[in-house]
């Protein structure tokens, strides 16, 4: 299924999901936002994109038909990182968060990040904020800001790389003012900074172990500087001269987790080059890409170092290929075909063994998220069973089971459940499996129509995420009103009435008002008056109203319920004989 996030405005504020207010300053707004609450987007996933996702298989495994691309509704940013079962996308003035399966999770406003980095355990996220010249550290569980690191002397931080205690920042606003600075994250709130290199423009950086690689993206041919890093300084190990390899401009840069190999991508080359970080010699190349195009290529390395993912815009669309890092053999290829506009691949990251890519439609200028399932992780089995029919007033009981690939029980695992009414997402909640993987939950949709439940397990580092769906068709329930009150009354004396609204035989409250009409018949004729409406109490359906008759006659009180999404309309009537005082 191809889905789109709905987005009302191009920016977010801390006052509402789509509200706009006067900002005192960017720093004060970010601080106020992060210390107050997390903005949540409207996650109604109802608009299908017109992009066609065509997948080409190289060897095994087969590409999954579940690969999707999602219009993020943003035009700026585009860097993506993944960890801790989530992926984070920098965009415009907000940080978007999705689950490992690509479904929307939440968004944080007030963050105009150019680059992101995440710790290997997925607990801390770092965002390079270009305008305020700082790096922000966030707790990925709460999305609260835990640290703000000023880079006032190193303007326009643009590229980040994280290795151990060091966060490396490529900075630079204009030509000849670029460079790299290292932030010692272990030095507490006042983080220690070291200047590493000066470059023509804001450089690309990659780091692992005690190795730092700096690539100047503003010059052609691009050269790579390799540094030894210790607790005190970074020392130049050597230079990989771009003239020796006819590299051209640098598109993207990555490094294996053990720091032994650099992988670099260049727009004018149909291969992705790899150099040994000790000998500084070229050791292999991934590719060639037979359909390489003009657009900047991107490259990423899996957390275990066994796979290299490389992609670029091609003549016909977008292409991403997964290679065995040691043998350079392609193991998977995914393509996204041209849909009538131009497509520009922005960034690429591993999420477990699957991939997230961000690309830009050059016609609409919107950024899109592309999730590619490489199929390299075993899949768990998730089942969901629901009643086939019922009424809109029913309490539905759904059951299911999560089973690991080897058939074993998973223990307690969190699941996300989303209810759709006639294909519109209305509610998302969490349930937890029992130790044996079984789970049960109840829900009252309070609506007729086609009700669909989607259950998602986000997977683990060794098991692929899984999803299951169940559909229930509900009809409107028969509703009824029980109305009680006196049979006789006296002019000028208050009458008290009460009743219960039921749907499908069950007392239930309603957001719809109950209309009350009074009909009086006597020697002067018949007069119908609409009395103030009443509401049923939300849980037990009870309601009450009062009336003081002003004249004698035969009174008829009628309570009307117009029906709602769950049930049919109904009425109830009670007759009262009202006499003058002193009679009878």
């Amino acid at each position: 299924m191809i889905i789109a996030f709905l987005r009302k405005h191009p920016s977010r504020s801390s006052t509402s999901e789509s509200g706009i207010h006067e900002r005192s300053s960017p720093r004060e707004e970010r601080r106020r936002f992060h210390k107050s609450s997390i903005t949540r987007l409207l996650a109604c996933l109802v608009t299908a994109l017109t992009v066609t996702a065509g997948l080409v298989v190289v060897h095994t495994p087969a590409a999954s038909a579940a690969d999707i691309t999602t219009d993020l509704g943003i035009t700026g940013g585009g860097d993506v990182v993944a960890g801790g079962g989530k992926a984070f996308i920098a965009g415009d003035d907000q940080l978007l968060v999705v689950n490992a399966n690509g479904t929307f999770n939440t968004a944080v406003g007030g963050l105009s990040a150019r680059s992101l980095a995440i710790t290997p355990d997925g607990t801390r996220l770092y965002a390079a904020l270009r305008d305020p010249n700082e790096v922000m550290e966030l707790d990925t569980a709460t999305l609260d800001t835990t640290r703000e690191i000023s880079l006032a002397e190193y303007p326009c931080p643009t590229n980040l790389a994280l290795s151990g205690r060091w966060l490396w920042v490529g900075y630079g606003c204009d030509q000849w003012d670029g460079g790299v600075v290292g932030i010692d994250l272990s030095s507490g709130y006042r983080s220690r900074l070291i200047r590493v290199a000066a470059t023509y423009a804001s450089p690309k950086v990659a780091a692992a172990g005690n190795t730092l690689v700096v690539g100047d993206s503003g010059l052609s041919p691009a050269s790579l500087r390799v540094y030894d890093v210790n607790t005190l300084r970074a020392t130049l190990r050597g230079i990989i001269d771009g003239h020796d390899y006819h590299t051209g401009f640098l598109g993207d840069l990555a490094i294996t987790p053990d720091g032994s190999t650099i992988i670099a991508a260049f727009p004018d080359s149909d291969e992705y080059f790899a150099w040994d970080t000790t000998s500084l010699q070229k050791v292999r190349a991934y590719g060639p890409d037979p359909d390489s195009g003009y657009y900047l290529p991107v490259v990423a390395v899996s957390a275990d170092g066994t796979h290299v993912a490389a992609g670029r815009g091609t003549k016909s669309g977008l292409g991403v290929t997964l290679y065995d890092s040691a043998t350079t053999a392609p193991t998977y290829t995914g393509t996204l075909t041209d849909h009538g506009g131009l497509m520009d691949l922005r960034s690429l990251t591993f999420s477990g063994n699957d991939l997230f890519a961000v690309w830009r439609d050059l016609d609409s200028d919107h950024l899109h998220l592309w999730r590619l399932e490489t199929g390299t992780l075993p899949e768990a089995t998730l089942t969901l069973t629901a009643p086939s029919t019922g009424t809109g007033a029913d309490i539905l009981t759904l059951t299911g089971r999560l089973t690991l690939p080897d058939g074993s029980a998973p223990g307690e695992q969190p699941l996300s459940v989303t209810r759709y009414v006639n294909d519109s997402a209305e509610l998302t909640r969490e349930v937890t499996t029992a130790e044996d993987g079984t789970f049960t939950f109840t829900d009252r949709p309070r609506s007729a129509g086609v009700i669909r439940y989607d259950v998602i397990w986000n997977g683990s580092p060794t098991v692929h995420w899984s999803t299951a769906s169940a559909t229930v068709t509900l009809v409107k329930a028969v509703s009824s009103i029980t109305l009680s009150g006196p049979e006789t009354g006296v002019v000028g004396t208050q009458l008290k009435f009460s009743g219960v609204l039921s749907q499908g035989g069950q007392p239930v409250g309603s957001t719809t008002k109950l209309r009350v009409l009074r009909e009086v018949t006597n020697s002067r004729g018949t007069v119908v008056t609409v009395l103030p409406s009443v509401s049923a109490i939300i849980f037990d359906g009870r309601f009450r109203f009062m009336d003081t008759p002003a004249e004698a006659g035969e009174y008829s009180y009628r309570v009307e319920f117009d029906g709602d999404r769950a049930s049919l309309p109904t009425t109830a009537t009670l007759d009262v004989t009202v006499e003058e005082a002193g009679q009878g």
Side-chain angles (χ1 to χ4, degrees), residues 467-483:
T467 184
S469 296
T471 300
V472 186
T473 301
L474 303 180
V475 298
K476 287 196 173 184
V478 174
S479 55
S480 63
I481 294 174
T482 301
L483 182 59

Side-chain angles (χ1 to χ4, degrees), residues 383-390 396-400 441 451-453 469-474:
T383 62
L384 180 65
T385 303
S388 58
T389 60
L396 305 177
T397 299
L398 296 93
T399 61
F441 65 93
I451 315 298
R452 188 180 88 246
Y453 293 90
S469 296
T471 300
V472 186
T473 301
L474 303 180

Side-chain angles (χ1 to χ4, degrees), residues 189-469:
Y189 184 77
R190 293 184 177 275
S191 301
R192 184 167 63 94
L193 307 180
I194 61 169
R195 173 80 176 272
V196 176
T199 59
Y200 172 78
S202 181
K204 302 282 186 180
V205 287
N210 66 340
T211 300
L212 167 67
V213 183
V214 177
D216 199 326
S217 57
L219 296 175
S220 178
S223 295
L224 306 178
R225 292 179 174 85
V226 182
Y227 292 84
D228 281 313
V229 178
N230 57 36
T231 57
L232 299 177
R233 64 180 63 85
T235 305
L236 183 65
R237 186 185 301 170
I239 298 176
I240 300 171
D241 194 331
H243 292 88
D244 296 338
Y245 299 96
H246 309 287
T247 55
F249 287 100
L250 177 63
D252 201 10
L253 189 63
I255 190 170
T256 55
D258 60 3
S260 66
T261 309
I262 306 164
I263 300 98
F266 304 91
D268 55 356
S269 173
D270 60 2
E271 293 182 304
Y272 304 83
F273 299 147
W275 285 273
D276 181 273
T277 58
T278 300
S279 67
L280 306 184
Q281 297 298 308
K282 180 181 171 182
V283 290
R284 65 183 69 93
Y286 301 93
D289 182 349
D291 195 25
S292 62
Y294 170 75
Y295 306 117
L296 290 178
V298 294
V299 66
V301 181
S302 62
D304 60 5
T306 60
H307 287 92
V308 172
R312 69 175 74 227
T314 71
K315 297 172 184 177
S316 59
L318 302 177
V320 173
T321 301
L322 192 66
Y323 298 94
D324 183 289
S325 61
T327 67
T328 73
T331 59
Y332 165 93
T333 292
T335 62
L336 197 62
T337 59
D338 192 350
H339 63 292
L342 298 175
M343 303 160 78
D344 174 17
L345 198 59
R346 282 290 185 89
S347 56
L348 184 68
T349 193
F350 277 87
S351 176
N353 282 37
D354 291 341
L355 295 165
F356 280 113
V358 174
W359 61 275
R360 181 167 62 105
D361 183 328
L362 297 185
D363 281 356
S364 68
D365 207 35
H366 277 202
L367 296 181
H368 299 247
L369 180 66
W370 183 17
R371 190 192 76 239
L372 300 97
E373 297 182 18
T374 67
T376 56
L377 286 180
E379 293 191 10
T381 300
L382 184 63
T383 62
L384 180 65
T385 303
S388 58
T389 60
T391 75
D394 291 347
I395 298 175
L396 305 177
T397 299
L398 296 93
T399 61
R401 189 182 194 109
L402 174 66
T403 306
L404 296 181
D406 61 1
S408 62
E412 293 187 357
Q413 295 291 331
L415 306 175
S416 175
V417 179
T418 301
R419 180 219 297 156
Y420 294 83
V421 177
N422 298 323
D423 289 330
S424 178
E426 286 198 344
L427 174 70
T428 298
R429 56 182 287 195
E430 284 195 356
V431 300
T432 302
T433 67
E435 287 290 333
D436 64 356
T438 59
F439 61 93
T440 300
F441 65 93
T442 59
D443 185 53
R444 195 173 193 175
R446 297 186 187 276
S447 178
V450 178
I451 315 298
R452 188 180 88 246
Y453 293 90
D454 288 353
V455 178
I456 296 173
W457 179 58
N458 270 333
S460 72
T462 58
V463 181
H464 198 277
W465 63 271
S466 298
T467 184
S469 296

Side-chain angles (χ1 to χ4, degrees), residues 498-517:
S498 63
V500 176
L501 171 65
S502 296
Q503 297 175 341
Q506 303 178 61
V508 64
S510 174
T511 56
T512 303
K513 297 287 187 180
L514 301 179
R515 188 166 47 251
V516 181
L517 297 93

Side-chain angles (χ1 to χ4, degrees), residues 484-489 494-498 555 557 574-577:
S484 303
E487 295 181 356
T488 61
Q494 188 180 73
L495 305 175
K496 296 181 180 181
F497 303 90
S498 63
Y555 283 63
Y557 291 90
L574 182 66
D575 295 330
V576 182
T577 298

Side-chain angles (χ1 to χ4, degrees), residues 515-519 528-531 556-560:
R515 188 166 47 251
V516 181
L517 297 93
R518 179 187 65 200
E519 181 181 294
V528 177
T529 304
V530 178
L531 301 181
S556 179
Y557 291 90
R558 186 167 75 252
V559 178
E560 299 180 345

